[in-house]
Amino acid sequence: PRATMAEQHTEATAPLPPIPRSIHDISNGDHILGFGANLAEDHPGYKDTEYKRRRSHIADLAKSHTMGEPIPNVEYSAEETQVWGHVLKALSDLYPTHACKEYLNSYPHFNFTPDRIPQLQELSEVLQRTTGWSVRPVAGLLHPRSFLNGLAFRTFHSTQYIRHGSNPMYTPEPDICHEILGHIPMLADRTFADLAYIIGTASLGVSEKEIWHLTKLYWYTVEFGTVQEEDGVKAFGAGLLSSFGELKHMKTGTDGIMPEFMELDPFAKLPKMSYKDGFQKKYFLCESFQDAVAKLQAYSKQILRPEVEALILEAKRSQLGKML
Ligand code: HBI
Ligand code: FE
């Protein structure tokens, strides 16, 4: 097939996409990738019509939400709550020894209990009080550009459905256990929230190639980041904090093989991400969040468009206004 005019542009000459000015410029419904409600054959819920119906119902709720309005509650069933309880109990045994200090500090703000799945609205309210972040419901895996752009407006797009009950310790995609236990407590920490915000602002209006690099930076920090503490390596990435198996793998390895820990260099070419084939083989190890923030800031400075820099300054000024 003949290339269209647009396709003939090289990466260098392709026009950059428009810069979103507010969260309202970012759609939470147009760009759902991955499973959505149409589960693939290898998804644990593939053959379960009832589960699929439930998924579409929750997806429709998310699509109907308007930013600024309360997030609709989901009435979770006893079976769904049981899955949550199972995951919470297993993970909370590991947190004291495997999770970073910042996570352990924020965790009590949320009063998680095994007998009730928290509602996104109440979690969003806690974040608003602690770091000024908000949660926005989304139907599934959001396009990386929209997802990263959301972080620039201190908004975390969160799924609201739960994994299939046949295998409570496994999910091939983000679900409410991953979002609530992995991401939300970290976003209540100021320095971590800054780290996510920096990746977000760096993503505004940049090329596809840059989005891909930022996706990897996000993956190796927000999803699978580790940090050195006095008594060992601790997890801060949500992919770790929401996976019983992977948390143990990070600390003690699997079948006698320890994962590798590497220093984060945002300017370097980053290793390929592995989604499906088991645990990560390499983790990035940060000296501290402050150090990771400084590194990401240096990188972001190099790629920020001048219009975005102006936008950030403006946002800082209006925030300062609010605090004074
Ligand atoms: N969408 N709903 C949702 N949740 C995520 O955690 C998520 C996403 N889209 C992309 C994404 N994460 C990352 O893998 C990066 O592409 C930013
Ligand atoms: Fe995630």
Side-chain angles (χ1 to χ4, degrees):
R2 234 180 311 154
T4 63
M5 286 291 275
E7 283 164 351
Q8 283 168 12
H9 281 290
T10 60
E11 177 71 33
T13 56
L16 289 173
I19 297 168
R21 301 282 153 171
S22 86
I23 189 64
H24 302 287
D25 292 343
I26 300 166
S27 161
N28 75 334
D30 299 350
H31 276 131
I32 302 303
L33 310 168
F35 297 115
N38 307 313
L39 307 184
E41 267 176 65
D42 56 350
H43 191 286
Y46 176 63
K47 286 189 187 143
D48 186 340
T49 6
E50 186 47 47
Y51 180 75
K52 284 197 269 195
R53 207 176 4 235
R54 182 74 178 143
R55 283 284 294 260
S56 350
H57 165 69
I58 296 177
D60 290 344
L61 268 186
K63 283 182 208 153
S64 74
H65 176 252
T66 314
M67 210 46 199
E69 289 183 8
I71 302 169
N73 283 351
V74 172
E75 280 193 37
Y76 292 106
S77 67
E79 202 188 330
E80 287 172 322
T81 306
Q82 211 177 1
V83 173
W84 157 262
H86 186 93
V87 175
L88 176 68
K89 280 187 210 153
L91 286 168
S92 55
D93 282 346
L94 292 184
Y95 289 149
T97 45
H98 290 64
C100 70
K101 280 184 206 144
E102 289 78 0
Y103 185 85
L104 297 174
N105 277 339
S106 295
Y107 191 83
H109 290 311
F110 298 94
N111 296 316
F112 298 137
T113 57
D115 54 357
R116 181 176 165 273
I117 303 180
Q119 297 290 341
L120 293 184
Q121 178 59 28
E122 70 204 42
L123 300 173
S124 188
E125 284 167 16
V126 176
L127 291 184
Q128 280 161 43
R129 285 200 302 273
T130 51
T131 51
W133 279 64
S134 299
V135 176
R136 186 192 203 188
V138 68
L141 203 62
L142 195 59
H143 186 282
R145 180 186 295 279
S146 309
F147 184 83
L148 293 172
N149 282 182
L151 305 176
F153 301 100
R154 296 192 167 83
T155 301
F156 187 78
H157 287 88
S158 170
T159 55
Q160 212 171 1
Y161 55 80
I162 195 157
R163 59 193 63 185
H164 194 258
S166 60
N167 189 356
M169 297 313 252
Y170 172 77
T171 170
E173 56 182 348
D175 77 328
I176 200 101
C177 299
H178 167 75
E179 318 283 23
I180 298 181
L181 295 172
H183 288 291
I184 302 282
M186 287 309 303
L187 288 167
D189 179 78
R190 213 160 265 290
T191 317
F192 177 84
D194 283 348
L195 186 150
Y197 175 75
I198 292 165
I199 299 179
T201 49
S203 78
L204 294 176
V206 295
S207 69
E208 284 304 309
K209 195 175 162 206
E210 200 59 69
I211 288 292
W212 189 237
H213 186 71
L214 289 168
T215 291
K216 285 181 163 186
L217 280 175
Y218 177 91
W219 183 263
Y220 287 112
T221 56
V222 178
E223 290 295 349
F224 289 101
T226 64
V227 59
Q228 184 69 52
E229 292 186 0
E230 302 83 62
D231 58 337
V233 173
K234 302 294 171 85
F236 74 86
L240 279 159
L241 291 165
S242 63
S243 166
F244 185 79
E246 182 126 12
L247 266 181
K248 292 221 277 199
H249 170 71
M250 173 205 80
K251 267 262 185 232
T252 46
T254 303
D255 299 331
I257 301 169
M258 281 298 290
E260 239 181 274
F261 292 94
M262 303 186 303
E263 199 183 320
L264 181 69
D265 176 6
F267 292 93
K269 188 174 157 53
L270 297 166
K272 212 175 141 231
M273 299 178 286
S274 77
Y275 294 89
K276 283 198 171 170
D277 25 315
F279 304 138
Q280 306 293 307
K281 293 177 183 68
K282 291 176 181 175
Y283 298 103
F284 281 91
L285 179 60
C286 304
E287 271 171 47
S288 66
F289 285 165
Q290 272 80 8
D291 187 62
V293 162
K295 282 182 172 157
L296 288 170
Q297 205 133 39
Y299 178 75
S300 161
K301 223 175 161 160
Q302 295 256 312
I303 65 160
L304 270 194
R305 286 170 60 179
E307 301 98 301
V308 174
E309 259 176 281
L311 203 71
I312 296 170
L313 277 176
E314 203 180 295
K316 257 194 199 143
R317 257 185 241 119
S318 78
Q319 241 195 344
L320 233 82
K322 263 187 258 164
M323 285 195 286
L324 291 172

